[in-house]
Amino acid sequence: MQSLRDAISANGGTGKALWHFNFSELAAVKAAARLARESGRAIILGVSEGERDYVGVRVASALVASYRREGVPLYLNADHTKSFEKVRQAIEAGFDAVIFDGSALPFEENIAETKRVVEYARMANSAVVIEGEVGYIGVSSKVLDAVPEGIEKTTVEQAVRFVRETGVDMFAPAVGNIHGMLKGGHEPELDIALIRKIKDAVRIPLVLHGASGNTDADLRAAVGAGISLIHVNTELRVAWRKALNAAFAAHPDETTPYKLLIDAEDAVYAVMRAKAAL
Ligand code: G3H
Ligand code: ZN
């Protein structure tokens, strides 16, 4: 099976994005595997530091590897990794990609730390894909009452310098996207013109984080402007929770986990499939 790096290049001319879905339990993994198997398209599963602490770094890696051995094009990303040590753990465990997220650091420090991560990754495993991030889009994949304070878009100048000096494979800009999803809907619009300018300037695959709550039209426009990979988490979590609430209410005496979890898997799968159809 091709590496994630090759899957990203192969997807380049298709006019479609690759999709990244987070997980912290089996229903989402099974849903993503179902989608990858049925569509034949690469799907990236991600675990943030919190999700990784819960699932286990090696367990996550073994799980995805076991699907790959069966011919299912699933890949694994160490999402929003904030320390060098956790980057090292993920690469050692065999993750296909790592996001070093130094976006909370002062810009110069973010460049220096990301560069260090890229140098280490090249030495440890040349296949692993490294993503860097600049700007602020909030931190939580949850339902929000308001847009997080302090949102800061990435400038074209920052993007150019960051990509040139760090040598990252993929770049995650802040372009009006936010982590999480607003309670009343009305997610801020994506800055499509900024995506296009950054893409023209850096010419490497761009990643859109925080895609929960954005309209289909906005996401399609983002792909048209140069986004290669889209991250979704909160919408999956909401679908999971709603389906479990309904399953518990419908079967108050059921205690067999998989008989309840199958509804969550189906609900999460429906969200994933709708996104991948965009
Ligand atoms: O890295 C994870 C994603 O950016 C998820 O964002 O929860 O807004 O979908 P989201
Ligand atoms: Zn993210």
Side-chain angles (χ1 to χ4, degrees), residues 20 22 48 51 77 79-80 99 133 137 140-142 177-181 187 208-214 230-237:
H20 174 291
N22 290 73
S48 65
E51 288 162 339
N77 174 46
D79 206 12
H80 296 290
I99 300 173
E133 185 168 344
I137 65 166
S140 302
S141 281
K142 62 181 186 187
N177 45 332
I178 55 168
H179 276 136
M181 185 172 141
E187 201 89 351
L208 183 74
H209 284 255
S212 291
N214 290 108
I230 303 182
H231 280 227
V232 177
N233 193 358
T234 312
E235 281 189 44
L236 304 175
R237 290 177 169 185

Side-chain angles (χ1 to χ4, degrees), residues 171-227:
F171 180 61
V175 288
N177 45 332
I178 55 168
H179 276 136
M181 185 172 141
L182 288 180
K183 205 173 264 167
H186 303 295
E187 201 89 351
E189 278 182 18
L190 299 174
D191 190 337
I192 303 299
L194 180 58
I195 295 172
R196 191 168 287 118
K197 281 187 204 152
I198 292 177
K199 176 67 185 181
D200 286 348
V202 303
R203 298 187 171 280
I204 63 169
L206 295 184
V207 183
L208 183 74
H209 284 255
S212 291
N214 290 108
T215 63
D216 291 353
D218 233 9
L219 294 179
R220 272 195 216 102
V223 175
I227 291 292

Side-chain angles (χ1 to χ4, degrees), residues 43-59:
I43 301 284
I44 302 165
L45 279 168
V47 270
S48 65
E49 289 187 350
E51 288 162 339
R52 242 175 290 171
D53 285 347
Y54 176 73
V55 175
V57 173
R58 288 181 192 285
V59 171

Side-chain angles (χ1 to χ4, degrees), residues 111-173:
I111 290 181
E113 277 301 290
T114 307
K115 189 169 178 235
R116 183 169 163 235
V117 163
V118 171
E119 283 167 0
Y120 168 76
R122 300 291 182 250
M123 197 187 64
N125 171 3
S126 57
V128 73
V129 172
I130 303 294
E131 176 184 334
E133 185 168 344
V134 173
Y136 182 66
I137 65 166
V139 288
S140 302
S141 281
K142 62 181 186 187
V143 179
L144 306 165
D145 290 321
V147 173
E149 280 189 26
I151 293 297
E152 209 177 285
K153 288 187 188 175
T154 312
T155 66
V156 178
E157 294 69 29
Q158 284 175 325
V160 168
R161 242 198 91 192
F162 184 87
V163 169
R164 190 182 55 223
E165 293 184 24
T166 60
V168 288
D169 301 298
M170 298 199 290
F171 180 61

Side-chain angles (χ1 to χ4, degrees), residues 57-103:
V57 173
R58 288 181 192 285
V59 171
S61 181
L63 203 51
V64 171
S66 73
Y67 280 104
R68 277 252 277 291
R69 276 196 296 276
E70 290 173 14
V72 183
L74 272 187
Y75 297 87
L76 183 62
N77 174 46
D79 206 12
H80 296 290
T81 306
K82 295 179 180 156
S83 70
F84 185 84
E85 181 49 28
K86 285 197 188 288
V87 170
R88 203 187 51 71
Q89 274 175 14
I91 291 178
E92 248 178 29
F95 279 49
D96 301 289
V98 173
I99 300 173
F100 177 70
D101 180 357
S103 60

